[in-house]
Amino acid sequence: MWHPCTQMQRARTAVPPLPVARAKGPWLEDYEGRRYFDANSSWWVNLFGHADARINAALHDQLDRLPHVMLAGCTHGPAVELAERLSALTGGVLGHVFYASDGASAVEIALKMSFHYWRNTGQDAKREFVCVRHGYHGETLGALAVTDVAVFRDAYDPLLMRAHMVMSPDARQAGEGESAADVAARAIAEVRTLFSQRQGHLAAIIVEPLVQCAAGMAMHDPAYLRGLRALCDEFGVHLIADEIAVGCGRTGSFFAFEQAAPPGEPPLWPDFVCLSKGISGGYLPLSLVMTRDAVYSAFLGDDVARGFLHSHSYTGNALACRAALAVLDRFAEDDVLERNRADARALTTALAPLHGDARVEHMRQRGMIWAFDVREPFAGERFAERFHLAGREHGLLIRPIGRTVYLLPPYVLDEGLAQWLAQRTLATLDATLRRTPDIHAACTPEPPVA
Ligand SMILES: Cc1ncc(COP(=O)(O)O)c(C=O)c1O
């Protein structure tokens, strides 16, 4: 087997894949019966733990009725109901849902739809895309063209469509006396300059609202999203919110973009939302793009080519849609967002010792995502790999991004589990840094800051 996102030479020698025999709740179990806490929700997809009883029951029921039927020329209940329920969550503003299977395919769809919309409305010149420094939108060629993570992109760069790049609003860039909102304001000013220069040529800007996850959980102030919405309105540019990683409650609201408007003010919405990962609870591949009536209507007409002729064989798979409906049921029945707030407080408290730890910086949290960066001299060579292996020894499945350690657990924490998770994370950090080659020669540790 050729594993994804893996240098196989390394997998054959230093980091063999963890063989997982079964899973229940947040726990993965290997063939020897050892348990590992799934601290990154299996690549950010799992919301309610593995083998959740209610999602399992829904899938068993769906399996006997209709596992799959093609969605061109046919329709089915779970796809219709899911579209209706998601639309309702936006008050009907994003009232049209186009299905696909993986996250990257949703990004392709949003880009193509935006371009095609401008063509259908006689504005053919609007065909350029804008993306954000360090952004990540998937690995297919279109998605990679608006992605800025060198390790994924560089080898294929000659193949890629050219997109404009604007600065990241990452709050870690704040200078002396600058706040996260100040960084957001700087980033917005840069977008304004580009929008003015390329007026009439831009189709869309694509962003990951609130957290650029693959960039190493880079978080920004919601004012950035507000600023983007205003600029997109002013210059007639589509706003694509890639909520593949940050949607479904991960940042504290069901859609991350809901935090764009200040509390008490009318909601702001992007023109497209891409969802995947958590929407089907970590069970089955499902992605979708939600958009406005104005976009949908522009594709109507007698001419076939005016329509959106995009498809994937498993588009809107009935089992996957049914899993997603069970996920939405969980949100409705269990007051998930409120419970997550309480659980998040418990984990934040348990991680508090890291604040005074001179080995780490930029401790940050939004919703159900926690991250900190290990300072360069402490991290040493192959930090992510060493931390990951030490994590396994401490009963954790955890995969840092570069020097960034993050926790993105399933929504099944309680106070005891939060304390356990924090304690194991700290122990893994200690074990990893104890083994950092030459660390004591490389630097003198700074005294802890209060
Ligand atoms: C923000 C974002 N967009 C798109 C993708 C791509 O999704 P997939 O891996 O399902 O193609 C990811 C995956 O990590 C992501 O985080």
Side-chain angles (χ1 to χ4, degrees):
M1 193 159 94
W2 195 339
H3 287 264
C5 205
T6 301
Q7 171 47 266
M8 290 306 293
Q9 171 97 2
R10 203 73 197 148
R12 285 163 45 181
T13 52
V15 199
L18 184 69
V20 179
R22 57 183 64 81
K24 185 75 189 154
W27 302 103
L28 305 169
E29 195 179 309
D30 71 12
Y31 286 83
E32 266 80 52
R34 282 187 294 262
R35 294 203 314 168
Y36 306 87
F37 185 92
D38 190 351
N40 66 9
S41 297
S42 283
W43 253 350
W44 321 340
V45 300
N46 189 288
L47 294 195
F48 297 109
H50 297 270
D52 173 72
R54 278 181 272 174
I55 302 176
N56 281 7
L59 281 175
H60 282 136
D61 178 66
Q62 189 61 39
L63 201 52
D64 289 333
R65 288 170 196 269
L66 173 70
H68 179 72
V69 66
M70 63 189 285
L71 215 54
C74 299
T75 186
H76 59 75
V80 173
E81 189 184 340
L82 180 59
E84 294 292 349
R85 286 175 66 179
L86 287 171
S87 161
L89 291 177
T90 70
V93 174
L94 300 173
H96 299 277
V97 173
F98 194 99
Y99 288 108
S101 342
D102 284 292
S105 32
V107 170
E108 301 285 340
I109 287 163
L111 297 174
K112 283 175 70 179
M113 234 180 220
S114 169
F115 163 80
H116 200 159
Y117 167 88
W118 295 119
R119 216 177 67 167
N120 279 353
T121 55
Q123 300 172 79
D124 300 46
K126 291 193 177 191
R127 46 174 302 174
E128 298 169 13
F129 294 103
V130 183
C131 58
V132 179
R133 176 81 51 212
H134 307 313
Y136 179 86
H137 300 286
E139 317 262 352
T140 52
L141 292 179
L144 210 49
V146 290
T147 285
D148 179 44
V149 180
V151 70
F152 302 129
R153 183 192 155 107
D154 282 1
Y156 310 100
D157 188 71
L159 300 178
L160 304 179
M161 147 182 103
R162 298 293 121 190
H164 301 281
M165 186 101 58
V166 287
M167 75 172 264
S168 164
D170 180 356
R172 288 175 298 180
Q173 300 166 107
E176 191 72 24
E178 220 185 4
S179 67
D182 294 332
V183 179
R186 269 203 281 135
I188 285 296
E190 197 178 305
V191 178
R192 171 175 283 287
T193 304
L194 177 69
F195 277 18
S196 314
Q197 284 165 353
R198 298 304 299 156
Q199 192 156 10
H201 295 277
L202 300 176
I205 180 166
I206 182 164
V207 295
E208 296 158 86
L210 299 182
V211 188
Q212 292 182 288
C213 294
M217 303 299 153
M219 302 185 181
H220 58 255
D221 194 281
Y224 180 67
L225 304 177
R226 219 153 41 239
L228 280 187
R229 181 64 275 173
L231 284 179
C232 286
D233 288 342
E234 184 181 338
F235 288 91
V237 175
H238 284 145
L239 179 46
I240 302 173
D242 176 349
E243 301 224 2
I244 288 162
V246 295
C248 302
R250 188 49 75 181
T251 66
S253 46
F254 187 84
F255 296 103
F257 210 91
E258 287 173 61
Q259 297 176 50
E265 289 197 16
L268 297 169
W269 293 105
D271 302 298
F272 299 89
V273 167
C274 302
L275 278 188
S276 188
K277 290 192 184 277
I279 187 63
S280 46
Y283 272 70
L284 288 154
L286 179 71
S287 67
L288 56 97
V289 176
M290 305 174 68
T291 192
R292 295 169 184 264
D293 196 45
V295 173
Y296 173 78
S297 305
F299 287 80
L300 301 177
D302 293 329
D303 182 4
V304 174
R306 197 180 168 83
F308 191 61
L309 305 185
H310 183 108
S311 60
H312 300 281
S313 306
Y314 280 98
T315 283
N317 171 260
L319 280 169
C321 288
R322 188 65 192 273
L325 288 170
V327 163
L328 293 189
D329 287 344
R330 294 288 308 253
F331 274 97
E333 289 162 11
D334 294 355
D335 204 2
V336 169
L337 298 177
E338 192 49 47
R339 280 182 47 178
N340 278 356
R341 271 190 271 282
D343 294 337
R345 276 195 294 275
L347 185 51
T348 300
T349 306
L351 289 169
L354 282 169
H355 282 290
D357 191 325
R359 301 168 301 176
V360 308
E361 60 184 343
H362 301 307
M363 184 72 200
R364 54 199 182 275
Q365 180 241 336
R366 181 162 296 268
M368 293 294 277
I369 306 176
W370 292 258
F372 60 87
D373 304 332
V374 175
R375 289 177 197 265
E376 191 113 40
F378 292 92
E381 287 286 296
R382 291 189 190 277
F383 169 76
E385 182 183 290
R386 290 186 293 113
F387 193 98
H388 166 70
L389 289 172
R392 287 191 196 181
E393 290 169 13
H394 288 82
L396 293 178
L397 177 68
I398 189 164
R399 284 167 54 106
I401 301 172
R403 291 184 290 114
T404 299
V405 177
Y406 72 90
L407 297 171
L408 200 146
Y411 306 162
V412 294
L413 291 180
D414 56 30
E415 199 155 335
L417 207 45
Q419 275 169 13
W420 180 92
L421 179 57
Q423 182 258 319
R424 289 298 171 103
T425 305
L426 296 176
T428 302
L429 179 69
D430 287 340
T432 309
L433 297 192
R434 254 200 315 275
R435 295 176 204 158
T436 301
D438 287 327
I439 178 149
H440 298 297
C443 62
T444 312
E446 293 167 29
V449 275

